[in-house]
Amino acid sequence: MNRPVTTVDRAGGAVGIPIVRPDAEAKVRGEARYADDLAFAGMVHVKAIRSERPHARIRAVDLAEVAASPGVVGTVTAADVPGENIVPVIYRDMPLLAAGVVRYVGEPIALVAAETREAAEEAAPRARVGYDDLPAVFDPQQALAPDAPQVAVPYAAEGGNVFNHMVIRKGDVGKGFADADVIVEGEYEVGYQEHAYLEPQGVIAVPEDGGMTVYGTLQCPFYVQNAVANVLGLPLAKVRIVQTATGGGFGGKEDVPSHLAAMAAVAAWKLRRPAKLVLDRAEDIATTSKRHPGLIRYRTGATRDGTLTAVEVKFYYNAGAYQTLSSAVLWRGLVHAAGPYRIPHVTVDAYSVATNTVPCGAFRGFGSPQVIFAHESQMDELARKLGIDPLVLRERNALREGDRTSTDQVLSESVGLGACIEKARELSQWGKRQAEVAAFNARERFKRRGLGVSTVMYGVGMGAKAPLLDKAGAYLKLEADGSVTLAVGTTEMGQGAETVLSQIAADGLGVPLDAVRLAPVDTSRVPDSGPTVASRTTTVQGMAVLDAATKLRARIEDAVREMFRCPSFTLEGRLFCIPGDPPREVDIAEVARWMWAHNWDMGATGWAEGRPVDWDPATGLGNAYFVYAYACHVALVEVDLLTGEAHVAGFWAVHDSGKIVNPATARGQVIGGIAQGIGYVLMEELRSRDGRILAPSFTAYHIPTSLDVPPEVAVEFVEAPYSGGPFGAKGLGEVPLMASHAAVANAISAAAGSRLRVYPAIPERVLGLIESSI
């Protein structure tokens, strides 16, 4: 077994793999957090040799100069893959290393492994790849043309370059629009959004005992396990994945680590040496997944009193060259396209389209922020035409218990949207704030303010598109000294899962929080627990932890009865109180020592799965998710009429995520989501030309800083408990971003006097809105 032998000063830059010292392996989540500093005996550094063409046949790959470069240990091509040269995600269309055709700039063709990272980077450009260029297409609308170049692997597409076409057909939209007094139509467009996680993608693959162990910064260890096993041709039991310190993922570390880990694993397998593959920031931005660009067309109808009668939606997402997670992203966009409103007639057509661009994937909100921008803009346009306050219009149509969603699902419990809207009105002082904005705009000559509101719903969990993934396992072990070890299969990446899951375990067992230690996530410790996505960690993983805690707590109570030969006892705080003369009090540590000495089983496993869901793909109707979270956000924006610069001056957010297990971490989630949403709508623009990201750096791609977060941010929660969640909890993590950007967009439109229809609202675009309103 290879063991770590050296470390490097952390000041050199952390890239998300924990240092593991031979004398302190237990510190992987402690003081030694990151392991761009980690080294294993004989470890090589891997660099991908990538395509410079957006679409071409590979005529020849000559790696002679690469292999002869100083420090190079070996090279890898598709011919060296011992298993299947495919990285499985949902479909099996994406090769690990391109063998016959490249479909996007940056697609991996070969690997070089060297003694140092510098040697690998110097050797990689010496590869000689011969191409026969093929016609390329970069725009989804052009890719749909009958004579468009074929990009999609036919097996993974429904036809041509249409990866997927999904629908909702509820009621009769013809009748719905006939019943409408007002109809609003709009077209909206959004571009890429980069994840901007703290450390770039990074993994280390270590050959061990006829198998492979991978350490990496990642969200979904069981996805990675499946991919590595597939390319190596190994059973899952011989592949172990250990998640290391992960500084944010936001979806970007859901599917991409499978590709990196598989590349590192193939190199490690061929060379029989540990292999490390860490992207630099430019390579990360240029070649890994993004939020899907989208073109969204809406038609919305309502009566004079503001009652919605019909919605018709058609939207197109640019999926890039391979499917990755696009079908799941599209499905969530489909289900959320009509918004959190009571609408009798709904038609939605959703398309994911293949182009010769970097494959897109998961991003916080997972396909819903794009359509939320559109449906919340439509609501404001309706309010303007009808002369109805935009908050009142949303309140009038908001889903409540007993209502049916756009997929005709009856909402039977935990629907706090109405309470969110009412609380947001109170928190933001909506009426007073409107008067202040009007006074400001009348007074100021070169500045203008606007108020914006958004309401959203979010299906918690994987939903009916992937119910087989909505599961989680947990293992709880009471140690002989009364401390507790908890192992789970979902990951901590800054969202507070470690704290919340430990709280659930502590409350379930009746022990202090500081007695619980969450072990590093390792696929060998618990059953496949699905991905850490879809705001499901608290709800599904939390229920698995609670299940284990309930079982172990029952065993502890049996031990107390056995210890003192008493049929009953009481609990006072953390103490077991045994009646008698005199009465006795014992704590968990004393009980644990007794259990250990008497050979009792001191461990318990827990299991949970999401409640049943169903969906008919022909109609798009059914119970899409087992429960929904809701939010209402209000934003105050100030626009400079001379420069077009916009900044958010105030923000008020109210969420229904059921019981809030930890208010401090929940509030942090909301504020972080607000900041990320502000970036999406105001500044985050990733430009490309002919399939190539033009400036892959944070110099050109602007993300929000603390100065972009408004000085006044208020966050509150209304708790509509969910009976299927731990203590009544449901998901939160993705919802804040989903709601925040749309509220800011509506505030910009109000301030500029013209509708924002394209993201981001950079100064040039805002100036155009101002000029068009004059």
Side-chain angles (χ1 to χ4, degrees):
M1 176 178 174
N2 289 282
R3 296 180 63 82
V5 294
T6 61
T7 60
V8 180
D9 184 3
R10 288 176 59 190
V15 189
I17 315 266
I19 301 168
V20 183
R21 298 184 179 90
D23 60 339
E25 287 190 341
K27 294 187 177 181
V28 291
R29 295 180 73 89
E31 65 175 60
R33 284 183 68 86
Y34 298 104
D36 190 33
D37 311 318
L38 174 62
F40 287 82
M43 187 175 74
V44 297
H45 296 258
V46 178
K47 175 77 173 177
I49 296 164
R50 299 179 180 274
S51 171
E52 288 294 321
R53 309 295 175 86
H55 199 195
R57 286 191 182 89
I58 299 174
R59 187 172 64 251
V61 179
D62 182 354
L63 301 179
E65 289 188 40
V66 175
S69 298
V72 168
V73 176
T75 60
V76 178
T77 67
D80 297 307
V81 177
E84 185 183 15
N85 186 37
I86 289 291
V87 181
V89 186
I90 297 174
Y91 292 80
R92 305 176 72 88
D93 62 325
M94 185 167 66
L96 175 68
L97 299 172
V101 174
V102 290
R103 291 179 170 86
Y104 68 96
V105 173
E107 182 167 5
I109 298 171
L111 307 172
V112 55
E115 297 289 358
T116 67
R117 183 171 180 174
E118 293 75 15
E121 290 175 344
E122 289 175 8
R126 296 173 183 173
R128 299 292 177 259
V129 182
Y131 299 100
D132 290 326
D133 287 324
L134 296 170
V137 60
F138 311 107
D139 179 83
Q141 299 301 300
Q142 296 174 8
L144 293 173
D147 59 349
Q150 180 67 34
V151 181
V153 175
Y155 144 76
E158 293 185 12
N161 288 319
V162 176
F163 276 141
N164 296 102
H165 172 209
M166 300 179 185
V167 304
I168 291 177
R169 300 288 187 265
K170 177 189 176 186
D172 179 352
V173 290
K175 181 181 184 305
F177 285 119
D179 292 341
D181 297 308
V182 173
I183 296 174
V184 171
E185 297 188 35
E187 182 174 289
Y188 306 88
E189 188 175 350
V190 294
Y192 289 122
Q193 187 179 18
E194 167 63 28
H195 299 91
Y197 27 67
L198 285 181
E199 75 282 345
Q201 304 274 356
V203 296
I204 297 176
V206 184
E208 293 180 343
D209 303 322
M212 189 67 64
T213 296
V214 176
Y215 303 86
T217 170
L218 49 90
Q219 287 183 236
C220 306
F222 295 97
Y223 282 8
V224 178
Q225 182 189 32
N226 184 46
V228 171
N230 189 67
V231 299
L232 295 182
L234 292 175
L236 291 170
K238 284 187 172 289
V239 176
R240 174 174 164 246
I241 309 300
V242 181
Q243 187 236 5
T244 61
T246 300
F250 313 114
K253 294 183 179 178
E254 178 175 349
D255 56 317
V256 173
S258 294
H259 204 158
L260 267 74
M263 287 193 287
V266 168
W269 189 263
K270 179 180 178 179
L271 301 172
R272 306 311 301 168
R273 294 171 64 170
K276 181 175 186 176
L277 198 170
V278 177
L279 305 185
D280 63 27
R281 185 64 69 175
E283 185 179 13
D284 196 306
I285 293 175
T287 65
T288 67
S289 67
K290 313 278 176 275
R291 190 184 298 285
H292 291 67
L295 177 68
I296 308 111
R297 295 177 179 136
Y298 265 75
R299 191 169 178 234
T300 311
T303 58
R304 287 186 182 87
D305 68 355
T307 302
L308 295 173
T309 61
V311 166
E312 186 174 39
V313 186
K314 186 174 286 189
F315 66 92
Y316 305 86
Y317 284 172
N318 184 351
Y322 296 105
Q323 271 271 17
T324 68
L325 293 164
S326 287
S327 67
V329 169
L330 188 75
W331 187 77
R332 188 173 282 272
L334 174 87
V335 172
H336 292 77
Y341 304 116
R342 188 173 51 254
I343 310 171
H345 307 289
V346 179
T347 289
V348 184
D349 286 271
Y351 299 85
S352 57
V353 184
T355 62
N356 293 115
T357 58
V358 62
C360 289
F363 200 123
R364 193 177 190 176
F366 208 73
S368 65
Q370 298 93 318
V371 294
I372 288 170
F373 166 42
H375 73 57
E376 288 305 281
S377 297
Q378 290 287 107
M379 290 297 285
D380 265 28
E381 286 295 284
L382 268 179
R384 183 181 61 81
K385 281 199 170 187
L386 292 166
I388 297 176
D389 182 287
L391 198 60
V392 170
L393 181 66
R394 286 167 171 82
E395 188 173 40
R396 190 163 295 167
N397 291 282
L399 288 166
R400 302 177 189 276
E401 281 191 20
D403 286 342
R404 293 180 177 271
T405 68
S406 64
T407 68
D408 213 34
Q409 176 176 355
V410 177
L411 298 174
S412 59
E413 66 166 321
S414 189
V415 186
L417 180 59
C420 284
I421 294 172
E422 183 56 39
K423 177 62 73 173
R425 175 185 283 113
E426 173 191 325
L427 187 66
S428 66
Q429 300 180 291
W430 177 258
K432 178 184 176 185
R433 201 76 60 178
Q434 285 178 312
E436 290 174 352
V437 167
F440 179 91
N441 291 342
R443 182 177 69 249
E444 296 291 331
R445 182 178 178 186
F446 300 117
K447 293 181 180 179
R448 193 175 295 157
R449 288 185 172 179
L451 269 180
V453 61
S454 69
T455 49
V456 302
M457 66 188 295
Y458 181 80
V460 177
M462 306 304 294
K465 186 72 167 65
L468 72 164
L469 295 176
D470 247 337
K471 56 195 173 189
Y475 178 69
L476 266 178
K477 181 174 67 167
L478 178 64
E479 306 289 356
D481 63 356
S483 62
V484 177
T485 299
L486 169 63
V488 298
T490 53
T491 59
E492 170 65 64
M493 47 190 161
Q495 81 275 38
E498 183 172 353
T499 301
V500 168
L501 296 177
S502 296
Q503 272 188 267
I504 292 171
D507 287 353
L509 285 174
V511 301
L513 177 59
D514 61 9
V516 180
R517 173 187 175 267
L518 186 64
V521 175
D522 182 330
T523 56
S524 67
R525 285 197 168 104
V526 296
D528 187 339
S529 298
T532 310
V533 300
S535 302
R536 62 183 289 274
T537 300
T538 298
T539 311
V540 182
Q541 182 68 78
M543 284 300 286
V545 172
L546 189 58
D547 182 44
T550 301
K551 293 173 183 175
L552 187 54
R553 175 58 180 267
R555 200 171 302 147
I556 292 167
E557 292 181 357
D558 286 344
V560 173
R561 294 185 185 96
E562 184 75 14
M563 285 173 68
F564 298 100
R565 304 295 179 183
C566 63
S568 64
F569 54 86
T570 60
L571 273 173
E572 294 183 10
R574 306 295 185 183
L575 297 174
F576 298 95
C577 301
I578 295 87
D581 189 14
R584 290 198 59 183
E585 293 180 345
V586 294
D587 63 13
I588 189 69
E590 186 173 342
V591 178
R593 284 191 294 273
W594 186 93
M595 292 175 70
W596 180 86
H598 290 79
N599 295 335
W600 279 50
D601 182 0
M602 299 174 70
T605 59
W607 185 253
E609 56 185 307
R611 288 182 174 178
V613 289
D614 60 81
W615 182 61
D616 176 9
T619 63
L621 304 183
N623 298 314
Y625 293 94
F626 53 74
V627 75
Y628 296 85
Y630 303 88
C632 180
H633 283 198
V634 176
L636 174 66
V637 168
E638 184 171 298
V639 171
D640 188 311
L641 300 181
L642 299 179
T643 67
E645 291 176 288
H647 73 270
V648 183
F651 209 100
W652 303 268
V654 181
H655 284 256
D656 163 34
S657 288
K659 175 64 178 177
I660 300 301
V661 176
N662 188 301
T665 59
R667 186 174 185 276
Q669 278 276 47
V670 173
I671 294 175
I674 290 169
Q676 204 167 30
I678 288 171
Y680 186 37
V681 60
L682 284 187
M683 65 191 70
E684 296 189 33
E685 184 173 39
L686 193 61
R687 298 187 179 188
S688 64
R689 183 183 303 125
D690 296 336
R692 187 185 303 273
I693 304 297
L694 294 179
S697 74
F698 289 144
T699 302
Y701 183 80
H702 300 152
I703 58 175
T705 70
S706 59
L707 296 178
D708 297 299
V709 178
E712 183 178 359
V713 179
V715 177
E716 288 203 15
F717 299 95
V718 300
E719 297 183 334
Y722 169 51
S723 61
F727 311 113
K730 53 187 182 181
L732 170 64
E734 301 186 69
V735 189
L737 178 144
M738 294 163 51
S740 61
H741 70 92
V744 174
N746 281 336
I748 289 170
S749 296
S754 183
R755 176 59 45 191
L756 176 69
R757 298 188 184 275
V758 180
Y759 275 7
I762 55 176
E764 301 92 322
R765 196 162 282 143
V766 174
L767 277 177
L769 297 178
I770 295 167
E771 291 168 1
S772 68
S773 69
I774 298 174

